[in-house]
Amino acid sequence: MSGALCGLWVDEAGTVHVSREVAGGGRESGAEVLRPFAWLGAGEFPAGEGVGIEALAGEGFFARLAHADSLSAFETWLAAVKAAGARGLDVVKPFESQWLLQTRNRLFDRLPFSRLRRCQLDIETGSSDGAFSDAGKADDRVLAIGLRCGGEARFLVLEAETDEAEKTLLERLNAALAELDPDTIEGHNLFKFDLDYLRLRAKRHKVPCAWGRFGQKAKFRNSRLKVAERWVDFPRCDLPGRTVIDTYLLVQLHDITARELTGYGLKEVAVYFGVTNDEDERTYLAGDRIAATFREDREKFLAYLGDDLRETAGVADVLLPTYFEQVKTFPVLLQEATLRGNTGKIDLLFLEHYYHARQACPVPPEVAPFEGGYTRSFHEGVFRHVLHFDVASLYPSLLLLLDRNPRNDALGVFIPLLRKLREYRLRYKQLARSAPTADERAEAQARQASFKILINSFYGYLGFSGARFGDGELAAEVTRRGRELLQKLIDAFAAEDCAILEADTDGIYLSSEKYHAAPGALLEKAARVLPAGIELEHDGSYAAMWCYKAKNYALRDGDRVILKGSALRSRGIEPFLKKLTGRLIRHLLGLDAESPAAWLAELRRAIAAGELPVSELAKTEALSMNPDAYERLMAEGGKPRRAAAEAALQMNPRPRMGERVSYYLVPKSKGQTADWQRARPASAFDRSRPETAYDPAAYLEKLDDWAARYGVFFNLPPPAPAQGELF
DNA sequence: AACTTTGGCGTATTGA
DNA sequence: TCAATACGCCAA
């Protein structure tokens, strides 16, 4: 039996170059064959030399399948198809996925994460004038390239600050990568900084970016990644036969659900993930000190670079295994797994079934808008004896209960696949606890986490117009049953004299003095109203809960506070207001005796006196478009203006789409009254320059608004107390 | 160039 | 000054 696939690349001729693990951990190259294929729609398609077309079973729109003998025959035929104006052709891209699907191969099959051959890469750069690094400038330089492979660091250092030496350095990088032959190249902000910078310097010195396997050069193109509600632009880099992992992007994807990070820089992220625990555990260097340290204190410079590599590895240790495990299930490259949404991956699994069954495929259906989950806030105020119950995996469970495949899924792949993934997940969840070695447990943990994400995305897949086997009516039926079920639970809890506080989609917060110490008894009673296969769980008990509005509340968990909702915990809120709200909540939950009134007064004084740091006042917002694009749009009379975008225009270098910008407001002047007209980057504030001073009136007004909103909770007599209310 | 869903809160901009 | 609306961020 041959070793696990660790690298894969389809060349222009259609040859599939593979790299496999061999005994002892080495890698060996091999070649395989791809028979390129495409699905054909209803139109007329020209014949092609070396291209065969067959009819498929079933009713779907793509009722024929074309296979070509070679990639060149395929490309020639595609050009003819295009010239003939034929439409309705579907080609799986990239070709690496096509081959994996066609042969049912998977990357890293049965390879433990510990045997993945990983390499971290980080560069340090310098500019002669000490300004921001800019690879386009002649006398900017790569000072050093750090590579860390198998835990061992190797430093390639610029020998002299000359073009010759830099050229040599880039050539040494090529040689080092060829020698180390890693499966992955990992770095923090690798796409936007390191690789892009190296590309520009290599171009200047006419050195090929031969960082790929099989002696291949890197390929660059502009790409875009959706991170929750925003898009992030980045210059994508693909290395034939290798995987480029940018932990900067992985961190942002992680933070979609965690939403805890305030910045995505390596140092902060490493502390957040516990890779670096103490400030003195690593060497820190300010950005503008790097070049000087390179010249004056080489040891310190290299220690800094080595720490960056170590931290990058540590962050990837946490974030990469999920994707590594995905690749064992889906016919995608590891890099694709990190840069693609779940729909594309699920679609590929479907297509693999349909391909091998020679079954016609549908076009993605239109999905009409449909109703979602049930959400309601029942009471406002502070309550004690709080319990939280939720339904385990509500939507996947309902899908399995309904046992209904999407309308277009003639082969009936959907439900069996979901069932299989859930069984796998449960098995790995068990193994994550019981496997004999720590490595195996970590492996199982990554696998079960990866499956959990996939399982949960099946419902979203149904409701997405771009999903080939989407079915809006089935998605609507799932949410309808979900609402029905939650209502039943609410009634069951109410029948036990619980005060329902907040319900959202699959969970309920309630107050019950009687059951607070015995949640199991209540659980057992409520669970009776649920059908078999739907499991209710006791998710938590809390001493107190402050209910504000729907999806916005705070819980007291021992001495800690758990905040939920954009009104309370959004990272866009000005820090001084967020902290004020934090104090209010601690007071309301009985953790602080002092009311926030005194702090409110102190803030008023500090703001009026111009003493509050601008970092406390600044609002922060992610840019939804590139500043250049915004500028053009506005020049054409576009709308609306946005304060954060206006602040971004004043920054140098300009931040890019997806990056977060902090801004504050300067006083109103003639014709300059709107926020967007008086927004300034927080970084432009300078205490010693009065013309950069902030507008106290604007911030005092925000305090007034805050007091109007929240004052009722702490310094006005509360309205008639509801059942179970505290204080 | 790429895309999982709906529901909800709060703020700024816009245009009258 | 005020409403409608667009947007950012978050819950699940």
Side-chain angles (χ1 to χ4, degrees):
Chain A
M1 196 182 71
S2 52
L5 278 172
C6 296
L8 177 61
W9 170 58
V10 178
D11 71 14
E12 291 73 15
T15 302
V16 182
H17 301 261
V18 298
S19 177
R20 291 182 185 280
E21 191 197 38
V22 293
R27 300 290 182 266
E28 80 181 0
S29 297
E32 305 275 346
V33 176
L34 168 71
R35 287 200 69 218
F37 63 89
W39 279 281
L40 309 186
E44 289 285 316
F45 288 86
E49 178 89 34
V51 177
I53 297 177
E54 64 187 300
L56 300 173
E59 298 296 301
F61 175 81
F62 292 105
R64 287 170 295 166
L65 182 63
H67 271 102
D69 295 338
S70 68
L71 193 52
S72 61
F74 189 68
E75 302 282 9
T76 306
W77 176 70
L78 280 184
V81 165
K82 202 175 170 190
R87 299 236 302 262
L89 188 89
D90 208 331
V91 184
V92 170
K93 288 278 184 76
F95 284 114
E96 286 80 5
S97 273
Q98 197 169 115
W99 181 78
L100 289 168
L101 183 159
Q102 182 169 64
T103 58
R104 296 194 201 265
N105 272 298
R106 296 294 185 266
L107 258 84
F108 308 118
D109 186 30
R110 280 167 303 208
L111 188 82
F113 186 66
S114 55
R115 296 224 302 265
L116 181 65
R117 198 191 261 178
R118 300 166 55 198
C119 178
Q120 291 78 41
L121 181 151
D122 186 37
I123 67 170
E124 301 301 339
T125 66
S127 54
S128 58
D129 55 3
F132 266 105
S133 51
D134 176 355
K137 283 191 195 154
D139 45 10
D140 246 53
R141 292 266 179 254
V142 181
L143 299 176
I145 301 169
L147 296 171
R148 185 178 191 269
C149 212
E152 208 169 295
R154 176 190 295 212
F155 301 109
L156 310 178
V157 179
L158 190 69
E159 301 284 352
E161 297 194 38
T162 64
D163 283 355
E164 292 307 304
E166 192 177 35
K167 184 177 181 189
T168 305
L169 182 64
L170 293 166
E171 286 164 345
R172 286 171 60 210
L173 171 64
N174 289 355
L177 287 176
E179 180 208 324
L180 296 166
D181 190 27
D183 303 326
T184 70
I185 295 184
E186 306 166 7
H188 199 74
N189 209 12
L190 203 50
F191 287 127
K192 276 201 225 176
F193 183 67
D194 305 70
L195 295 183
D196 195 50
Y197 195 100
L198 289 170
R199 172 181 70 89
L200 291 167
R201 301 310 292 179
K203 191 176 167 198
R204 172 177 294 267
H205 300 311
K206 299 191 170 57
V207 177
C209 299
W211 310 326
R213 271 193 164 123
F214 323 109
Q216 290 302 303
K217 285 193 274 190
K219 294 190 186 77
F220 294 90
R221 68 188 150 102
N222 289 324
S223 187
R224 182 171 279 196
L225 177 70
K226 197 178 184 195
V227 181
E229 51 277 318
R230 64 182 205 274
W231 288 94
V232 176
D233 266 351
F234 67 98
R236 179 169 171 164
C237 173
D238 287 273
L239 304 181
R242 299 195 211 283
T243 305
V244 180
I245 295 294
D246 191 337
T247 50
Y248 182 67
L249 295 178
L250 296 195
V251 164
Q252 292 183 60
L253 292 169
H254 165 89
D255 202 42
I256 292 175
T257 41
R259 291 193 190 266
E260 286 174 332
L261 285 157
T262 51
Y264 301 124
L266 179 61
K267 282 80 180 167
E268 175 180 345
V269 166
V271 170
Y272 171 79
F273 282 113
V275 175
T276 293
N277 295 304
D278 274 321
E279 289 269 308
D280 50 7
E281 197 177 328
R282 66 154 297 164
T283 303
Y284 289 97
L285 270 183
D288 57 1
R289 290 295 306 153
I290 290 173
T293 310
F294 172 77
R295 291 171 197 123
E296 294 154 12
D297 186 348
R298 186 61 58 86
E299 195 182 338
K300 185 172 185 185
F301 172 88
L302 293 179
Y304 173 76
L305 179 51
D307 280 334
D308 274 0
L309 291 169
R310 180 184 56 77
E311 288 190 339
T312 301
V315 172
D317 284 343
V318 179
L319 299 177
L320 186 52
T322 303
Y323 298 98
F324 182 72
E325 295 303 329
Q326 276 186 12
V327 155
K328 299 175 178 186
T329 303
F330 296 93
V332 290
L333 297 175
L334 180 55
Q335 187 164 334
E336 291 283 318
T338 66
L339 299 176
R340 258 195 178 193
N342 281 328
T343 303
K345 298 173 206 165
I346 295 174
D347 265 346
L348 282 172
L349 269 191
F350 273 100
L351 290 176
E352 186 174 55
H353 274 96
Y354 278 70
Y355 173 81
H356 289 285
R358 292 299 189 264
Q359 176 80 22
C361 291
V363 281
E366 284 299 312
V367 173
F370 60 95
E371 206 178 325
Y374 175 94
T375 299
R376 190 176 150 194
S377 169
F378 290 78
H379 295 289
E380 215 176 62
V382 179
F383 299 83
R384 298 174 60 194
H385 305 119
V386 174
L387 295 173
H388 182 223
F389 295 93
D390 67 2
V391 179
S393 308
L394 176 64
Y395 286 172
S397 302
L398 282 172
L399 275 166
L400 292 172
L401 189 70
L402 289 167
D403 196 24
R404 189 172 123 195
N405 285 305
R407 200 200 334 206
N408 284 335
D409 180 15
L411 288 179
V413 171
F414 188 91
I415 290 293
L417 181 59
L418 181 57
R419 190 159 278 135
K420 195 176 87 180
L421 287 174
R422 193 175 70 158
E423 280 161 15
Y424 275 2
R425 186 194 168 211
L426 292 177
R427 194 152 85 221
Y428 286 112
K429 213 175 160 183
Q430 177 59 38
L431 273 176
R433 287 190 291 264
S434 65
T437 71
D439 259 11
E440 285 169 279
R441 288 194 294 275
E443 202 88 16
Q445 173 58 26
R447 236 175 157 175
Q448 79 85 11
S450 158
F451 282 138
K452 181 182 179 181
I453 295 164
L454 290 168
I455 288 164
N456 286 335
S457 55
F458 268 58
Y459 150 76
Y461 175 95
L462 288 176
F464 175 51
S465 330
R468 189 175 296 264
F469 295 92
D471 183 344
E473 283 161 32
L474 182 50
E477 179 63 9
V478 169
T479 58
R480 193 188 67 74
R481 294 289 293 265
R483 292 190 300 275
E484 206 175 86
L485 215 143
L486 202 66
Q487 187 60 58
K488 274 191 182 168
L489 283 173
I490 289 169
D491 295 343
F493 286 128
E496 292 298 321
D497 290 326
C498 303
I500 310 296
L501 304 178
E502 158 105 14
D504 192 354
T505 310
D506 61 357
I508 294 166
Y509 287 94
L510 56 84
S511 169
S512 169
E513 191 169 355
K514 180 179 168 193
Y515 286 110
H516 192 250
L522 182 57
L523 175 82
E524 197 260 319
K525 286 193 162 129
R528 285 179 201 158
V529 304
L530 299 175
I534 302 289
E535 213 176 316
L536 189 67
E537 290 179 334
H538 166 238
D539 184 62
S541 300
Y542 306 94
M545 176 174 184
W546 176 51
C547 300
Y548 175 53
K549 292 187 175 174
K551 294 177 191 278
N552 286 272
Y553 55 86
L555 298 158
R556 176 173 166 180
D557 182 19
D559 292 336
R560 288 171 24 87
V561 171
I562 298 169
L563 281 186
K564 294 281 184 176
S566 64
L568 308 181
R569 62 169 293 194
S570 167
R571 287 169 298 184
I573 301 173
E574 298 86 341
F576 77 109
L577 291 177
K578 208 163 153 183
K579 286 177 189 166
L580 192 52
T581 307
R583 283 180 178 240
L584 165 67
I585 291 168
R586 288 185 67 80
H587 175 62
L588 291 175
L589 294 180
L591 288 163
D592 270 349
E594 204 180 336
S595 117
W599 184 246
L600 181 59
E602 164 56 19
L603 278 174
R604 283 211 166 95
R605 187 202 63 75
I607 288 170
E611 286 173 13
L612 206 64
V614 76
S615 58
E616 288 293 303
L617 300 171
K619 231 175 156 75
T620 302
E621 188 177 308
L623 295 178
S624 61
M625 65 172 90
N626 275 313
D628 296 357
Y630 174 82
E631 196 170 36
R632 276 198 302 279
L633 187 67
M634 293 306 122
E636 291 162 12
K639 60 177 167 61
R641 297 276 185 169
R642 280 202 82 85
E646 296 290 331
L649 291 179
Q650 302 162 34
M651 293 167 74
N652 186 21
R654 283 183 176 179
R656 294 193 238 187
M657 175 167 58
E659 288 177 25
R660 288 152 49 84
V661 168
S662 294
Y663 67 91
Y664 71 100
L665 303 175
V666 296
K668 288 180 181 171
S669 60
K670 195 172 159 50
Q672 306 283 301
T673 56
D675 282 9
W676 64 267
Q677 291 170 310
R678 50 203 187 103
R680 302 286 180 271
S683 53
F685 179 84
D686 184 345
R687 198 170 274 279
S688 66
R689 289 169 52 218
E691 70 273 20
T692 71
Y694 60 75
D695 177 23
Y699 294 101
L700 289 171
E701 204 175 303
K702 284 175 192 284
L703 278 182
D704 292 341
D705 292 345
W706 185 92
R709 180 168 297 283
Y710 297 113
V712 63
F713 291 102
F714 69 97
N715 63 8
L716 294 176
Q723 192 184 12
E725 196 163 352
L726 178 74
F727 311 135

